[in-house]
Amino acid sequence: DGGITQSPKYLFRKEGQNVTLSCEQNLNHDAMYWYRQDPGQGLRLIYYSQIVNDFQKGDIAEGYSVSREKKESFPLTVTSAQKNPTAFYLCASSDPRQSTGLYNEQFFGPGTRLTVL
Amino acid sequence: DAKTTQPTSMDCAEGRAANLPCNHSTISGNEYVYWYRQIHSQGPQYIIHGLKNNETNEMASLIITEDRKSSTLILPHATLRDTAVYYCIVRVGSGGSNYKLTFGKGTLLTVNP
């Protein structure tokens, strides 16, 4: 089945530790995204990548880092510099060439809930 | 991207139509209206989108007013599994910052038995 997988579903870390969240897609999509969601809030964009070996900061990139070495993978590292890392993290992908070519519908993974102890 | 306004919550009886409103009075001529929904603790799911004309797919219908300042998402026969937060998003369809989806707080739709 085609889709986006994120692992693990739940993640706990101690304060001051870096942690990497996995995101893999087999949809052959060029673009991938990372969002953060806090309780009762909408999604906020952390980083996005429109093509392999390229990525751009979103609205709240501070304290996060990403890499895009392969088309199907876009891991997110939450560093110790992120002051409030406890949140629900969502990865998405899209293909800008789909449908009318005007809109790239974003497909989301199931999310990773990170808790910092 | 234009800002949207949605009610915080709505209730609907199972089997009845759910009509979810969205105001986007500052929408520009090249901006589309999109709807996503998010079931608790899952990733958002695309529902439908449109520019001017009404749209229908297997999940829902989208009614956009003639002046495009508001729209309504219609779930024709709501089920308990439709309980979710529904997000109305307005954005440019191509070029520029088309990578970005700006999610507000959305509308929590609760379908009651």
Side-chain angles (χ1 to χ4, degrees):
Chain A
D1 289 334
I4 301 177
T5 57
Q6 290 185 244
S7 61
K9 189 167 178 64
Y10 299 95
L11 187 58
F12 299 87
R13 77 153 214 219
K14 292 182 180 179
E15 196 171 346
Q17 291 180 336
N18 293 354
V19 62
T20 298
L21 281 60
S22 167
C23 178
E24 304 279 331
Q25 55 98 359
N26 60 4
L27 300 167
N28 200 33
H29 286 171
D30 285 320
M32 296 187 74
Y33 315 81
W34 274 105
Y35 292 87
R36 168 186 173 135
Q37 187 174 34
D38 293 287
Q41 304 295 317
L43 281 67
R44 292 184 290 169
L45 183 66
I46 304 172
Y47 267 99
Y48 68 100
S49 167
Q50 293 184 298
I51 200 166
V52 174
N53 293 322
D54 182 64
F55 50 83
Q56 305 294 330
K57 293 182 179 180
D59 298 323
I60 55 166
E62 186 175 350
Y64 299 97
S65 66
V66 294
S67 63
R68 188 81 188 281
E69 297 177 1
K70 298 185 294 182
K71 187 176 186 177
E72 59 271 21
S73 178
F74 191 41
L76 173 75
T77 297
V78 184
T79 74
S80 57
Q82 168 49 232
K83 297 189 186 312
N84 297 299
T86 294
F88 188 44
Y89 290 88
L90 288 155
C91 179
S93 72
S94 69
D95 182 353
R97 298 163 295 177
Q98 272 190 0
S99 64
T100 64
L102 293 177
Y103 171 67
N104 46 351
E105 173 193 337
Q106 292 190 16
F107 293 85
F108 284 82
T112 292
R113 191 167 298 278
L114 172 65
T115 302
V116 174
L117 305 172
Chain B
D1 295 338
K3 182 178 177 180
T4 63
T5 304
Q6 298 178 252
T8 302
S9 63
M10 293 182 65
D11 286 316
C12 176
E14 188 177 18
R16 305 297 292 269
N19 298 296
L20 291 94
C22 179
N23 286 324
H24 31 80
S25 58
T26 59
I27 192 170
S28 301
N30 62 347
E31 288 182 313
Y32 287 69
V33 180
Y34 304 99
W35 284 83
Y36 278 74
R37 74 179 184 183
Q38 186 176 23
I39 295 170
H40 182 63
S41 294
Q42 297 183 19
Q45 175 190 22
Y46 166 83
I47 301 174
I48 198 167
H49 74 280
L51 181 62
K52 296 180 184 178
N53 300 321
N54 298 337
E55 303 288 343
T56 295
N57 63 21
E58 64 278 6
M59 290 183 67
S61 294
L62 174 60
I63 309 298
I64 302 174
T65 58
E66 194 169 342
D67 62 8
R68 302 208 324 121
K69 292 185 177 182
S70 65
S71 60
T72 301
L73 178 75
I74 301 173
L75 307 179
H77 305 286
T79 70
L80 298 179
R81 287 179 294 181
D82 291 322
T83 293
V85 176
Y86 288 77
Y87 297 100
C88 171
I89 299 165
V90 173
R91 48 156 281 185
V92 175
S94 65
S97 60
N98 68 340
Y99 58 88
K100 186 175 174 180
L101 290 177
T102 300
F103 287 80
K105 296 185 179 180
T107 296
L108 173 59
L109 174 68
T110 302
V111 180
N112 301 305

